[in-house]
Amino acid sequence: MKNTVQHYCSTIFVKLTLAWLLLPLHFFIIVCTTEYDLTQINYGEIPRSSSTFLNFILQNKSKPQIKFQDRNIVDVPEEIWEQIISLLDHDLYLEPLSLVSKSFLSITNRLKQTLIISNPTSNFLPKLFHRFPNLKIISLSQFNGEPCSILQLISLAHFPLQSLDLSNHTYFPCNAIQQLPRSSLSSIKSLVLRNLSILNDSDLGVISQFIANLEELDVSDPKDDYCVTGDGDMDVSGGGLGITDDGIDLIASKLTKLRKVNLSGNYFVSDKSVISLSEKCLNLEEIVVKNCTFVTQVGMAFAFQNCRNLKSVGLLGMDLGVPEIAHLFACAQNLSVLDFSYMAVSDGLLFSIVKASIPLRKFTLYHCKDFTFSGVLSLLRTYHSLEYLALEGVYWITDRTIIDLSKFLRKANTVKLNFCSRVTSSGFFTLLKNCPMLDILEMEKTDMGKQEFAVSNATNPQTRALILSCNKTLSNECLEKIAYSCPSLELLDVSDCPSITRKGIGEILRNCTGLKHLQMNGCGAIKSLGMDAKLRKLEVLRASGSGLNDEGLLMIAKKCPALVYLDIMGCSGVTSKGVKEVVYHCGRLKEINLNWCREMSRDIVAWMVFSRPSLRKIVPPYGFVPTDYEKSLFLRHGCLVGEG
């Protein structure tokens, strides 16, 4: 096929069509066509991000004019279109393209790679598996039934599976896994088994035998099927002790290609498991052992010393003694991610990390203790190229300390200061000013809204996401300053901030015209988003327990044509009238949550399903229990309706 494409591109000009679902109210498809000389394009330079693809195409065009035409795409072979559409980096973009033509529908069906299976989805799996023949990522974590029946259907499809998620189930389906085609088993690189009730060494034996090319394994957070009695004995229920060192040793011996392992929450895993993985899995890059009581600094010291490819370590509740482990950080010369939670982290340990000169990119101290400003400053001064810093629950961090720390965060794109109760708006604006690359800033449950000192020229066009929830003193005046300081904002979370009203949120929406995601759960004083708000790009609005009323919904209906998800659970001021306005005008709406909305007519659910074909999920009002016939009818129209 590659030769055919190259031959075609070398002999003629082709027309590249990028299709979007514009004017969603009427589902108009606009096909924008421009002529390009593909012989002049260096295919090695084609960007893989959809956000830069259009710019790339425009830079390589042979004719300047852009013209609009009908859906005449028969002159372009499907293999050309397939290469073009494959540049889109998310399945989300495939749905609108599939509406352009039967040819595009066929192409997008072949290109879809991810499927998340829920209970309603299971009824249509044979058709879905036939429609999407090249699925690589399948998740059953949201499916509440027996996974064996689903795996049997998967075994008939012969998918080129790369990732399988069986989290949140009772047990690991050994027999069904063994029935999968050898081609599918050999292609699986990632297996996720979080939160299983029963998972033991014999299950790991099946995994090591049948999924021989596994590179990523997550067996974290098993459900507690045991407890420690008053005599110190172990009371076990549910069939076995769970995963032990013997099982991990078997995995390490058979699955030598493992790169990432998460053992968090497995009570019977000890240093022996860490040592075994370090010795036998030479490609090991990431190990997470949070809340593993019997994993100590002895095991981690061995990993630092022997895992030459180790890049990421996640620890919780472990004490690392400086004399014993300090010199071993220098052995892990590829270590770039350190995640410490609920640990005693001394300045001496931080100084040892400084001395090791590792390529540190991400550093997390989550509710840790014993370190001081001196230790953190020394680390930041050395690793001034740090991209991610989380100092959460640190009592001594103030606005003044942020002035000094932020000087060494000029390359940071993510900073998290959640639960730092002494940080005010002054610290917030200092970070905006001194961190020019800052993309995400989290300051949940701080003293945001108060101000210790003024900060001038704190505009940061790079910042796209702010998490400011649970700040009781966050005010309208502060939000107004944020609106001018972060003009490129796309995500804002101000949930449970009782002092803000329509005035404050309105300033954000008026100035941050690119906002796509807004969370204001529990903001009882916000009844509307403001008539001057500019919301044409808003896709997600989470406003459960807020003061939003019908007037606010009417404004949303008129100004949010791109709205996909709306959560107004527990909003006592909304009625059927306001909901109907939103559903009627928001042509892309897929999910709506009306739980605990009491002022709703019983026929509102049926009206929504039949009035808005784009709806895929409805959480109905309090007291609404659909009959089996209604559930089936709504599903045939593509919408899942639960119980209120």
Side-chain angles (χ1 to χ4, degrees):
M1 187 186 78
K2 183 177 180 180
N3 291 334
T4 303
V5 173
Q6 291 177 341
H7 174 73
Y8 185 85
C9 293
S10 63
T11 54
I12 67 170
F13 292 94
V14 299
K15 297 178 180 180
L16 304 181
T17 303
L18 301 176
W20 290 275
L21 211 58
L22 301 181
L23 300 178
L25 180 62
H26 303 290
F27 286 94
F28 288 151
I29 302 294
I30 295 182
V31 181
C32 178
T33 307
T34 310
E35 293 188 355
Y36 303 96
D37 184 0
L38 294 191
T39 62
Q40 303 302 316
I41 294 179
N42 182 352
Y43 287 89
E45 297 177 354
I46 294 180
R48 295 298 167 181
S49 168
S50 59
S51 61
T52 56
F53 176 63
L54 181 58
N55 289 334
F56 169 80
I57 290 297
L58 294 177
Q59 291 171 1
N60 287 278
K61 64 183 180 180
S62 60
K63 296 186 179 182
Q65 70 274 17
I66 295 179
K67 50 189 177 181
F68 294 89
Q69 65 178 44
D70 295 328
R71 303 176 187 178
N72 180 23
I73 60 172
V74 295
D75 56 331
V76 181
E78 275 202 8
E79 56 263 34
I80 297 290
W81 281 118
E82 188 164 338
Q83 284 197 359
I84 295 168
I85 296 174
S86 67
L87 295 175
L88 300 175
D89 52 10
H90 199 286
D91 278 1
L92 177 67
Y93 302 114
L94 298 182
E95 182 176 350
L97 282 172
S98 69
L99 301 175
V100 174
S101 68
K102 290 183 178 180
S103 175
F104 273 24
L105 176 62
S106 174
I107 293 171
T108 54
N109 285 345
R110 293 197 301 270
L111 290 178
K112 185 174 176 61
Q113 297 184 356
T114 302
L115 182 64
I116 299 175
I117 298 173
S118 61
N119 282 56
T121 312
S122 62
N123 298 324
F124 305 97
L125 281 183
K127 292 182 178 179
L128 290 174
F129 286 170
H130 179 74
R131 178 181 174 184
F132 306 123
N134 297 315
L135 291 175
K136 294 182 179 180
I137 302 171
I138 295 181
S139 173
L140 277 71
S141 61
Q142 299 181 22
F143 177 67
N144 297 325
E146 288 290 326
C148 291
S149 59
I150 306 299
L151 290 172
Q152 288 173 357
L153 292 174
I154 294 174
S155 68
L156 302 175
H158 293 268
F159 291 124
L161 280 181
Q162 292 183 0
S163 177
L164 182 62
D165 189 344
L166 300 173
S167 300
N168 306 320
H169 288 279
T170 304
Y171 63 94
F172 177 70
C174 291
N175 294 332
I177 286 292
Q178 296 176 48
Q179 299 304 315
L180 290 176
R182 183 172 298 179
S183 59
S184 295
L185 289 171
S186 62
S187 64
I188 294 178
K189 298 293 189 294
S190 173
L191 181 63
V192 184
L193 304 172
R194 292 193 205 100
N195 197 33
L196 263 62
S197 297
I198 304 173
L199 184 66
N200 50 43
D201 290 348
S202 61
D203 298 324
L204 297 186
V206 172
I207 294 171
S208 64
Q209 181 180 355
F210 289 91
I211 314 180
N213 294 317
L214 201 62
E215 296 181 6
E216 301 179 14
L217 177 62
D218 186 343
V219 292
S220 62
D221 302 320
K223 294 179 181 177
D224 294 335
D225 287 327
Y226 55 83
C227 64
V228 180
T229 67
D231 299 328
D233 297 328
M234 194 66 65
D235 179 23
V236 180
S237 62
L241 290 175
I243 294 176
T244 70
D245 291 332
D246 292 337
I248 299 301
D249 182 65
L250 179 61
I251 283 285
S253 301
K254 296 290 187 67
L255 304 181
T256 56
K257 296 179 181 179
L258 278 176
R259 295 186 301 107
K260 299 181 179 181
V261 180
N262 190 341
L263 305 177
S264 298
N266 283 280
Y267 187 82
F268 298 102
V269 166
S270 74
D271 289 334
K272 291 181 180 179
S273 292
V274 177
I275 292 172
S276 182
L277 289 167
S278 303
E279 282 182 327
K280 299 172 182 178
C281 301
L282 302 181
N283 296 320
L284 193 64
E285 296 178 1
E286 178 179 307
I287 182 166
V288 183
V289 284
K290 296 184 176 183
N291 202 24
C292 294
T293 306
F294 298 115
V295 176
T296 70
Q297 64 180 20
V298 174
M300 295 314 304
F302 189 91
F304 289 143
Q305 192 169 14
N306 292 275
C307 292
R308 298 299 180 183
N309 294 310
L310 193 62
K311 296 180 180 179
S312 177
V313 170
L315 307 176
L316 183 150
M318 183 186 303
D319 290 332
L320 297 177
V322 178
E324 296 83 3
I325 205 168
H327 67 285
L328 296 176
F329 280 111
C331 298
Q333 281 301 301
N334 291 309
L335 196 58
S336 58
V337 180
L338 287 174
D339 183 346
F340 298 154
S341 301
Y342 293 101
M343 293 170 51
V345 177
S346 66
D347 283 347
L349 183 62
L350 296 181
F351 293 149
S352 67
I353 297 173
V354 168
K355 188 176 179 180
S357 296
I358 55 178
L360 193 62
R361 294 186 301 103
K362 298 179 66 175
F363 187 65
T364 298
L365 293 176
Y366 184 82
H367 291 278
C368 293
K369 60 181 181 179
D370 292 351
F371 62 95
T372 69
F373 171 74
S374 176
V376 173
L377 184 64
S378 177
L379 185 136
L380 295 185
R381 184 181 287 121
T382 300
Y383 298 106
H384 48 77
S385 295
L386 207 64
E387 299 172 5
Y388 177 107
L389 177 66
L391 299 174
E392 305 189 57
V394 182
Y395 73 91
W396 52 256
I397 291 185
T398 66
D399 298 329
R400 300 290 176 181
T401 57
I402 285 179
I403 294 176
D404 294 318
L405 298 179
S406 63
K407 294 176 182 177
F408 305 101
L409 292 173
R410 296 190 62 80
K411 298 292 183 64
N413 55 50
T414 301
V415 174
K416 297 183 179 183
L417 298 176
N418 300 318
F419 311 108
C420 295
S421 58
R422 299 174 66 185
V423 180
T424 74
S425 300
S426 300
F428 173 87
F429 289 110
T430 298
L431 286 166
L432 290 183
K433 181 178 181 179
N434 293 344
C435 306
M437 304 299 293
L438 191 60
D439 183 31
I440 302 171
L441 177 56
E442 296 189 13
M443 285 180 53
E444 179 182 352
K445 216 166 186 179
T446 60
D447 214 2
M448 189 73 181
K450 294 183 179 179
Q451 179 174 295
E452 184 178 348
F453 52 82
V455 180
S456 59
N457 301 320
T459 301
N460 192 327
Q462 188 68 25
T463 303
R464 296 185 304 111
L466 295 176
I467 310 297
L468 305 175
S469 55
C470 300
N471 281 292
K472 305 302 181 184
T473 55
L474 184 61
S475 62
N476 291 333
E477 292 74 21
C478 186
L479 281 184
E480 182 176 353
K481 294 178 182 177
I482 292 173
Y484 289 101
S485 298
C486 304
S488 304
L489 202 61
E490 295 182 8
L491 183 151
L492 176 65
D493 184 356
V494 290
S495 298
D496 299 308
C497 297
S499 299
I500 59 176
T501 66
R502 178 174 69 176
K503 179 182 178 182
I505 207 70
E507 287 297 327
I508 289 284
L509 300 176
R510 186 179 301 111
N511 292 281
C512 304
T513 56
L515 196 71
K516 296 179 180 180
H517 189 131
L518 175 61
Q519 290 192 197
M520 54 180 210
N521 302 316
C523 294
I526 300 179
K527 302 184 183 302
S528 175
L529 301 184
M531 294 307 295
D532 295 333
K534 300 175 182 179
L535 301 168
R536 298 201 63 82
K537 294 185 178 181
L538 189 67
E539 298 177 356
V540 176
L541 176 58
R542 298 181 183 272
S544 65
S546 70
L548 206 61
N549 56 23
D550 279 351
E551 179 187 349
L553 290 184
L554 178 61
M555 190 280 295
I556 292 170
K558 292 180 178 180
K559 299 204 171 188
C560 301
L563 193 66
V564 174
Y565 178 92
L566 177 63
D567 182 0
I568 50 175
M569 179 179 70
C571 293
S572 58
V574 301
T575 69
S576 298
K577 179 182 178 181
V579 171
K580 285 186 175 182
E581 289 291 336
V582 172
V583 173
Y584 180 78
H585 287 95
C586 298
R588 293 179 57 190
L589 191 65
K590 288 188 175 183
E591 293 189 34
I592 186 168
N593 186 352
L594 303 177
N595 197 17
W596 295 101
C597 294
R598 298 177 181 273
E599 301 299 322
M600 297 286 164
S601 59
R602 195 190 185 284
D603 64 348
I604 185 67
V605 173
W607 182 89
M608 288 191 293
V609 172
F610 300 125
S611 300
R612 178 51 57 210
S614 63
L615 272 171
R616 294 292 177 264
K617 183 177 180 180
I618 297 174
V619 179
Y622 173 77
F624 179 86
V625 181
T627 65
D628 290 341
Y629 173 77
E630 287 175 325
K631 286 183 179 179
S632 176
L633 178 63
F634 297 153
L635 272 177
R636 288 202 298 272
H637 283 76
C639 186
L640 167 65
V641 177
E643 296 183 2

